[in-house]
Amino acid sequence: MSHTIDCRGMACPEPVIQTRKALETHSEITVIVDNETAVENITRFAENLGGSVAVVRGADGIRIVVNKGGEPAPLDAGRPAAAAPAGGPLVYVLAAETMGRGDAELGSVLIRAFMHTLTEASRRPDVLVMLNAGVKLAAQGSPVADDLKALEAKGTRILACGTCLNFYGITGKLAAGSVSNMYDIVETMNGAASVITL
Amino acid sequence: MSADGGYAVILFDSVTQCMWAEKLITKTSIPYKLIPVPKNISADCGICLRVALADAAAAEATLRGVVEYRGVATIPGRE
């Protein structure tokens, strides 16, 4: 019989943390969640372990049966699942919709110029982490959406914090990147060769 | 808008002029992109508006007499 954990009402990244803990002592668990972001995050977590999920949506919640494949990685394993160059990936953190403090309009001009230049640079970040208002840069209609798509096409991974997307009401409106969570973001930053916060 | 076929850039003396010009261009249907001034051009303001070569005249007409701009430079396409 599957060990069940009820993660309804828990804010991201708690469902993933609870899933990881439970998988330390059980090889199969059922996680009950109440939002799609948690489903995506737990699915990606399980697949990174080499495990699998089965999702059943019901009126009172979403039941995810998680089967672990191998050993769950300890919290500070470091390297993200995707292959990183020796020394770790180059990570940029965008924690605002603009660049720099002072005039907001100038900040908007700067971030747009920056993104354009980045697409043409010979060295580009391996990962972009978007936090707080920074997630708006990755949303449909954003002035840098096309540049972010171009960066993705060239191999940059873009992680947009799910809690932030939800806060700004733009979940499901990403033009580039994927919905992420603080667990992935912390692992990415800890495993990076360097982290540059814009 | 691909830039490989060459493009035009509208240059300014100040960021404020560039931002004001952008507001005007936005009201037209001319596709543009705000980018740093290409390295081989010198300008007081490091930001310019890039438009297609075919739209340069229309863009200038939109700005003329309303907002000051330094000039329009043409960047040839890559072979």
Side-chain angles (χ1 to χ4, degrees):
Chain A
M1 168 128 164
S2 206
H3 173 76
T4 301
I5 51 175
D6 188 346
C7 293
R8 287 173 293 188
M10 288 186 190
C12 169
E14 202 54 35
V16 180
I17 292 174
Q18 294 299 325
T19 300
R20 194 190 62 78
K21 266 198 214 142
L23 286 176
E24 277 169 7
T25 46
H26 300 83
S27 57
E28 186 191 275
I29 62 170
T30 299
V31 188
I32 313 176
V33 299
D34 55 14
N35 67 87
E36 285 304 320
T37 300
V39 175
E40 282 174 33
N41 288 341
I42 290 171
T43 301
R44 197 168 50 237
F45 173 79
E47 286 169 356
N48 282 348
L49 294 180
S52 60
V53 302
V55 180
V56 179
R57 289 178 174 76
D60 63 340
I62 308 167
R63 277 167 170 69
I64 311 169
V65 179
V66 183
N67 249 296
K68 81 174 180 191
E71 289 305 306
L75 192 57
D76 285 322
R79 300 288 178 267
L90 173 61
V91 178
Y92 286 7
V93 173
L94 283 77
E97 201 179 358
T98 55
M99 198 171 181
R101 277 183 255 244
D103 185 272
E105 250 195 292
L106 176 60
S108 171
V109 163
L110 292 176
I111 192 67
R112 289 153 61 191
F114 181 83
M115 283 301 169
H116 169 82
T117 309
L118 211 51
T119 61
E120 299 184 342
S122 52
R123 178 107 156 90
R124 289 175 301 278
D126 297 299
V127 188
L128 288 182
V129 174
M130 330 286 265
L131 291 171
N132 207 316
V135 296
K136 293 194 209 174
L137 293 171
Q140 289 155 16
S142 148
V144 300
D146 287 342
D147 286 336
L148 289 176
K149 283 185 204 169
L151 286 173
E152 258 191 324
K154 293 183 187 189
T156 297
R157 267 200 313 143
I158 298 176
L159 306 180
C161 161
T163 300
C164 312
L165 289 168
N166 176 274
F167 180 87
Y168 288 109
I170 53 177
T171 307
K173 298 213 172 102
L174 279 180
S178 54
V179 181
S180 186
N181 59 79
M182 201 53 81
Y183 182 66
D184 276 355
I185 289 169
V186 167
E187 273 219 336
T188 298
M189 289 169 74
N190 283 347
S194 62
V195 179
I196 297 172
T197 303
L198 297 186
Chain B
M1 177 187 8
S2 165
D4 285 344
Y7 53 90
V9 290
I10 308 171
L11 306 167
F12 302 90
D13 286 328
S14 75
V15 182
T16 316
Q17 282 168 354
C18 180
M19 298 194 312
W20 190 1
E22 190 195 7
K23 288 188 175 53
L24 291 178
I25 300 276
T26 303
K27 293 194 180 121
T28 71
S29 56
I30 302 170
Y32 74 95
K33 191 177 189 194
L34 187 142
I35 63 167
V37 173
K39 282 195 237 180
N40 54 324
I41 300 177
S42 116
D44 281 346
C45 166
I47 298 286
C48 63
L49 295 178
R50 183 184 76 184
V51 297
L53 286 168
D55 290 331
E60 269 197 279
T62 304
L63 302 181
R64 199 171 293 120
V66 185
V67 64
E68 273 187 51
Y69 57 99
R70 160 74 85 191
V72 180
T74 304
I75 312 293
R78 285 190 270 272
E79 290 306 316

Short mmCIF file of all heavy atoms in Angstrom, two decimals, chain B residues 43-66:
data_model
loop_
_atom_site.label_atom_id
_atom_site.label_comp_id
_atom_site.label_asym_id
_atom_site.label_seq_id
_atom_site.Cartn_x
_atom_site.Cartn_y
_atom_site.Cartn_z
N ALA B 43 28.09 57.67 -30.87
CA ALA B 43 26.96 58.57 -30.62
C ALA B 43 27.00 58.94 -29.15
O ALA B 43 27.49 58.18 -28.31
CB ALA B 43 25.64 57.86 -30.95
N ASP B 44 26.46 60.11 -28.83
CA ASP B 44 26.46 60.53 -27.43
C ASP B 44 25.61 59.61 -26.57
O ASP B 44 25.94 59.32 -25.43
CB ASP B 44 25.93 61.97 -27.30
CG ASP B 44 27.01 62.97 -27.69
OD1 ASP B 44 28.17 62.55 -27.79
OD2 ASP B 44 26.68 64.15 -27.89
N CYS B 45 24.51 59.17 -27.15
CA CYS B 45 23.64 58.28 -26.39
C CYS B 45 23.90 56.86 -26.85
O CYS B 45 23.93 56.58 -28.03
CB CYS B 45 22.18 58.68 -26.61
SG CYS B 45 21.04 57.42 -26.04
N GLY B 46 24.06 55.94 -25.92
CA GLY B 46 24.42 54.56 -26.26
C GLY B 46 23.27 53.68 -26.69
O GLY B 46 23.44 52.50 -26.92
N ILE B 47 22.09 54.25 -26.82
CA ILE B 47 20.89 53.48 -27.18
C ILE B 47 20.32 54.06 -28.47
O ILE B 47 20.33 55.28 -28.65
CB ILE B 47 19.82 53.59 -26.07
CG1 ILE B 47 20.35 53.01 -24.77
CG2 ILE B 47 18.53 52.90 -26.45
CD1 ILE B 47 20.43 51.52 -24.73
N CYS B 48 19.83 53.19 -29.34
CA CYS B 48 19.24 53.70 -30.58
C CYS B 48 18.04 52.85 -30.95
O CYS B 48 17.76 51.85 -30.29
CB CYS B 48 20.28 53.67 -31.70
SG CYS B 48 20.85 52.00 -32.10
N LEU B 49 17.32 53.30 -31.97
CA LEU B 49 16.16 52.53 -32.44
C LEU B 49 16.51 51.91 -33.78
O LEU B 49 16.89 52.60 -34.72
CB LEU B 49 14.94 53.45 -32.59
CG LEU B 49 14.40 54.07 -31.31
CD1 LEU B 49 13.22 54.99 -31.61
CD2 LEU B 49 13.97 52.99 -30.32
N ARG B 50 16.37 50.61 -33.88
CA ARG B 50 16.67 49.90 -35.12
C ARG B 50 15.38 49.68 -35.90
O ARG B 50 14.37 49.24 -35.33
CB ARG B 50 17.31 48.55 -34.81
CG ARG B 50 17.74 47.77 -36.04
CD ARG B 50 18.29 46.41 -35.69
NE ARG B 50 17.23 45.47 -35.35
CZ ARG B 50 17.45 44.22 -34.92
NH1 ARG B 50 18.67 43.79 -34.75
NH2 ARG B 50 16.45 43.43 -34.64
N VAL B 51 15.42 50.02 -37.18
CA VAL B 51 14.26 49.77 -38.05
C VAL B 51 14.77 49.13 -39.34
O VAL B 51 15.96 49.17 -39.63
CB VAL B 51 13.47 51.06 -38.39
CG1 VAL B 51 12.88 51.68 -37.13
CG2 VAL B 51 14.36 52.06 -39.12
N ALA B 52 13.84 48.55 -40.08
CA ALA B 52 14.21 47.98 -41.38
C ALA B 52 14.62 49.11 -42.31
O ALA B 52 14.11 50.23 -42.19
CB ALA B 52 13.04 47.20 -41.96
N LEU B 53 15.52 48.80 -43.25
CA LEU B 53 15.97 49.82 -44.20
C LEU B 53 14.77 50.47 -44.90
O LEU B 53 14.72 51.68 -45.08
CB LEU B 53 16.90 49.18 -45.25
CG LEU B 53 18.30 48.83 -44.74
CD1 LEU B 53 19.03 47.95 -45.74
CD2 LEU B 53 19.09 50.09 -44.45
N ALA B 54 13.80 49.65 -45.25
CA ALA B 54 12.64 50.15 -45.99
C ALA B 54 11.78 51.09 -45.15
O ALA B 54 10.99 51.86 -45.70
CB ALA B 54 11.80 48.97 -46.48
N ASP B 55 11.90 51.01 -43.82
CA ASP B 55 11.06 51.83 -42.95
C ASP B 55 11.77 53.08 -42.45
O ASP B 55 11.18 53.90 -41.74
CB ASP B 55 10.63 51.01 -41.72
CG ASP B 55 9.64 49.92 -42.08
OD1 ASP B 55 8.88 50.11 -43.06
OD2 ASP B 55 9.62 48.88 -41.38
N ALA B 56 13.05 53.25 -42.83
CA ALA B 56 13.83 54.36 -42.27
C ALA B 56 13.20 55.72 -42.60
O ALA B 56 13.10 56.60 -41.74
CB ALA B 56 15.27 54.30 -42.78
N ALA B 57 12.76 55.88 -43.83
CA ALA B 57 12.18 57.17 -44.23
C ALA B 57 10.92 57.47 -43.43
O ALA B 57 10.69 58.60 -42.96
CB ALA B 57 11.89 57.18 -45.73
N ALA B 58 10.06 56.47 -43.29
CA ALA B 58 8.81 56.66 -42.55
C ALA B 58 9.09 56.97 -41.09
O ALA B 58 8.42 57.81 -40.47
CB ALA B 58 7.94 55.41 -42.68
N ALA B 59 10.09 56.30 -40.54
CA ALA B 59 10.43 56.54 -39.13
C ALA B 59 10.91 57.98 -38.95
O ALA B 59 10.51 58.68 -38.02
CB ALA B 59 11.50 55.55 -38.67
N GLU B 60 11.78 58.43 -39.86
CA GLU B 60 12.27 59.81 -39.78
C GLU B 60 11.14 60.80 -39.89
O GLU B 60 11.08 61.81 -39.17
CB GLU B 60 13.27 60.07 -40.91
CG GLU B 60 14.69 59.79 -40.53
CD GLU B 60 15.68 60.43 -41.49
OE1 GLU B 60 15.92 59.84 -42.56
OE2 GLU B 60 16.20 61.52 -41.15
N ALA B 61 10.20 60.53 -40.79
CA ALA B 61 9.07 61.44 -40.99
C ALA B 61 8.25 61.55 -39.71
O ALA B 61 7.72 62.62 -39.37
CB ALA B 61 8.19 60.94 -42.15
N THR B 62 8.14 60.44 -38.98
CA THR B 62 7.39 60.45 -37.73
C THR B 62 8.05 61.35 -36.70
O THR B 62 7.39 62.03 -35.91
CB THR B 62 7.31 59.01 -37.15
OG1 THR B 62 6.74 58.15 -38.13
CG2 THR B 62 6.47 58.96 -35.89
N LEU B 63 9.39 61.38 -36.71
CA LEU B 63 10.10 62.11 -35.67
C LEU B 63 10.38 63.56 -36.04
O LEU B 63 10.47 64.43 -35.17
CB LEU B 63 11.45 61.43 -35.39
CG LEU B 63 11.40 59.96 -34.95
CD1 LEU B 63 12.81 59.45 -34.69
CD2 LEU B 63 10.55 59.78 -33.71
N ARG B 64 10.48 63.83 -37.33
CA ARG B 64 10.91 65.15 -37.77
C ARG B 64 10.03 66.25 -37.21
O ARG B 64 8.80 66.21 -37.31
CB ARG B 64 10.92 65.21 -39.30
CG ARG B 64 11.76 66.36 -39.87
CD ARG B 64 11.93 66.27 -41.38
NE ARG B 64 12.73 65.13 -41.80
CZ ARG B 64 12.28 64.17 -42.60
NH1 ARG B 64 11.05 64.20 -43.05
NH2 ARG B 64 13.07 63.17 -42.92
N GLY B 65 10.69 67.26 -36.59
CA GLY B 65 9.95 68.39 -36.05
C GLY B 65 9.30 68.12 -34.71
O GLY B 65 8.79 69.04 -34.06
N VAL B 66 9.28 66.89 -34.26
CA VAL B 66 8.63 66.57 -32.98
C VAL B 66 9.66 66.24 -31.91
O VAL B 66 9.62 66.75 -30.79
CB VAL B 66 7.66 65.38 -33.13
CG1 VAL B 66 6.91 65.14 -31.84
CG2 VAL B 66 6.70 65.62 -34.28
#
